[in-house]
Amino acid sequence: MPARAGAPGRKDGGRPETPAPRPRRTPVPALSWLPPALLALGLGLWGLSLPLVDFRSMGDYGLLDRLPVPFHASLVVLTAGFLVALRRAGTSPGWPLVYCVGLLVALKAAPAVLYDSVRYPWASKHDAVVSTLLGAGELRPHAALSGNMSAYDQWPGFFALNAALVRAFGVESTAVYLNWAPIVLGLVLLPVLVLLYRTFTEDWRLVWTAVWIFQLANWVGQDYLAPQGLAYVLHLTVLAFVLRHFVRPGSAGRLRDRTALDPAATAVPPSTTTRQRAVGVLILSPLILAVNAVHQLTPVMLCAVLAALCLTRRHRNLGLLAVTGLIMLGWNLTMGRPLFLETLGTLKDSFGRLTQNSRAGYTGQLTGPGPELAGRAGIAMALAVVLFAGVAVLARRRLAHGALPLLLASAAPLPLFAVNDYGGEMLFRVYLFGLPGAAFFAAAALVPAAGSPPSPFRPSSSP
């Protein structure tokens, strides 16, 4: 039977036509050597810059005008290497992690390496408190208040922990490791941030960019050897656990449908039963108790965050909020009773005064050209983070809808401006507790939504 005219894939003789070979595409070089090379170069420049720092003749600007060109060049190289590593973050998330550790070292380790003495005066005070606790061998939570010094006995968890570390290490005091506290706390915080961000996105580029922004924008200076740094890590650990394991059944709606999500978003974690959430409360109770034993303000922030999460049906866990509030109230009426009652007496003068409570007071007021310049730079960075976060909330609404709990958790500390000024530091503490969510959404404004690399933990849908 003759072949039909114009039949595809046939020649005149009826034999199948051999398809013309496709032109070979030139493979894009992987450049797998570039991330380690840039990392080595960046850290090498940083190490080279330290002997050039003339820190013994520091003036009004401190280290700001003593850091040599190689130091600044190291930050540029580390940032460039981080951007290169982000291109393969979906299949090689290890390199962005290493770069985040490198940035942490570059930003925080220089004073620990250079300084012969304690960097922060308040850290010296905390070292003295630990030494006093070791010498006395007991707490005096109900001693007469003297410049709020008894607060260290009323919230002694941090100092008791360091007293145990001093004894365990066999050292004389915390001064041996005191200047390295920002590095230790930063390393401990890294996996907590990754766990928090992975709850809302499968795009490793977005996760590591958020971590990078968090490290750059965390300029508040609460990561030295102080109760706030440890309590902050515990606070974010509780938050990450709640967001992943306290999802009510039937509350996700379309957020479990991939077509309704942002391309980079992850589906809502599996829901848990009432019994599972009750077990979760038992697991979290020691952590919540530890937060109360370490710091007086962080439990209030934790209650505010859990209350904000109750605004969503997804994380409405009144039992957990009640347990957290009862633990805080129980601690304040027993161990922390003297300072707690004194603080209640001052609330009538500060409650509702938003403008006054949001200003930097005597403990947060910057003096001198160096601190003032650093403060203005920090404010500019904070405004930039908030601006980018706002752009992402408006431009990527599906991502903002899926990550609404994180958005609420970041905004939860804002009402505390109406309560107290916390010695002139409420502005900085609200910023600190709102930073994790702000960094995530700021990263979402910088990382494109389309073309997200596949996650190594999720199989590809292509054949």
Side-chain angles (χ1 to χ4, degrees):
M1 184 175 178
R4 291 178 297 168
R10 300 276 184 176
K11 289 186 178 181
D12 293 340
R15 292 178 297 177
E17 181 180 2
T18 303
R22 295 182 180 180
R24 292 186 177 181
R25 297 178 61 181
T26 304
V28 179
L31 298 180
S32 57
W33 57 270
L34 198 52
L38 290 176
L39 179 68
L41 177 60
L43 293 180
L45 287 171
W46 179 82
L48 179 65
S49 69
L50 295 184
L52 304 178
V53 178
D54 186 15
F55 66 94
R56 299 188 184 279
S57 62
M58 289 189 299
D60 293 335
Y61 288 91
L63 282 178
L64 291 178
D65 60 349
R66 292 294 183 267
L67 296 174
V69 174
F71 179 87
H72 300 287
S74 69
L75 299 181
V76 174
V77 173
L78 287 175
T79 302
F82 175 74
L83 295 176
V84 172
L86 278 184
R87 299 185 63 182
R88 299 180 59 199
T91 55
S92 301
W95 280 117
L97 167 62
V98 174
Y99 269 97
C100 287
V101 174
L103 178 68
L104 177 66
V105 171
L107 292 177
K108 305 289 186 179
V113 175
L114 295 174
Y115 289 6
D116 298 328
S117 59
V118 176
R119 179 184 180 189
Y120 295 109
W122 279 87
S124 296
K125 183 178 180 181
H126 296 161
D127 175 56
V129 172
V130 174
S131 298
T132 302
L133 178 60
L134 285 170
E138 63 177 357
L139 298 171
R140 301 184 180 93
H142 301 293
L145 292 176
S146 175
N148 292 342
M149 286 297 293
S150 63
Y152 297 119
D153 285 322
Q154 296 170 25
W155 284 270
F158 174 80
F159 304 104
L161 172 63
N162 277 276
L165 291 176
V166 169
R167 288 283 176 83
F169 292 155
V171 295
E172 183 178 352
S173 68
T174 61
V176 175
Y177 58 84
L178 188 150
N179 281 342
W180 292 97
I183 303 296
V184 175
L185 289 173
L187 292 176
V188 174
L189 194 58
L190 266 176
V192 180
L193 289 173
V194 171
L195 180 65
L196 185 64
Y197 295 147
R198 284 287 292 170
T199 305
F200 300 104
T201 181
E202 291 186 345
D203 190 344
W204 279 103
R205 300 173 306 163
L206 180 52
V207 170
W208 291 118
T209 303
V211 173
W212 189 269
I213 293 175
F214 177 90
Q215 290 183 325
L216 287 176
N218 186 17
W219 55 267
V220 181
Q222 294 300 324
D223 53 358
Y224 65 105
L225 191 76
Q228 177 67 96
L230 176 59
Y232 187 64
V233 174
L234 296 174
H235 167 87
L236 290 184
T237 302
V238 173
L239 177 59
F241 188 93
V242 170
L243 292 177
R244 293 186 73 91
H245 300 291
F246 278 71
V247 179
R248 296 173 63 88
S251 61
R254 295 189 63 198
L255 293 178
R256 297 196 189 279
D257 183 3
R258 170 57 58 187
T259 60
L261 296 174
D262 183 273
T266 185
V268 175
S271 58
T272 52
T273 64
T274 302
R275 181 178 180 180
Q276 289 173 326
R277 292 195 298 276
V279 173
V281 173
L282 293 177
I283 295 174
L284 288 179
S285 293
L287 284 178
I288 297 172
L289 181 61
V291 172
N292 283 269
V294 168
H295 197 241
Q296 56 268 58
L297 179 64
T298 306
V300 180
M301 293 288 188
L302 182 58
C303 286
V305 168
L306 294 178
L309 292 180
C310 288
L311 298 177
T312 67
R313 185 166 173 260
R314 198 188 323 173
H315 293 287
R316 188 173 300 150
N317 295 283
L318 298 177
L320 176 62
L321 176 61
V323 169
T324 304
L326 288 174
I327 291 176
M328 179 181 68
L329 184 62
W331 188 277
N332 288 338
L333 292 179
T334 53
M335 286 290 293
R337 179 182 175 86
L339 186 57
F340 176 66
L341 295 180
E342 182 186 81
T343 303
L344 287 180
T346 64
L347 290 183
K348 62 181 179 180
D349 298 326
S350 60
F351 190 82
R353 306 181 69 172
L354 296 175
T355 304
Q356 176 179 322
N357 294 342
S358 59
R359 290 179 179 175
Y362 70 95
T363 58
Q365 187 68 42
L366 300 174
T367 57
E372 289 175 359
L373 176 61
R376 286 192 294 269
I379 292 174
M381 183 178 296
L383 292 176
V385 171
V386 173
L387 176 62
F388 280 112
V391 169
V393 170
L394 295 176
R396 302 182 66 172
R397 295 184 181 180
R398 289 193 294 174
L399 180 64
H401 182 53
L404 179 62
L406 183 58
L407 184 62
L408 290 175
S410 297
L414 290 174
L416 292 180
F417 280 133
V419 179
N420 195 275
D421 66 346
Y422 198 65
E425 292 192 2
M426 185 61 76
L427 174 64
F428 305 114
R429 304 305 172 99
V430 169
Y431 172 76
L432 177 65
F433 282 88
L435 182 57
F440 176 81
F441 287 103
L446 299 175
V447 176
S452 300
S455 169
F457 303 107
R458 182 170 60 92
S460 175
S461 58
S462 60

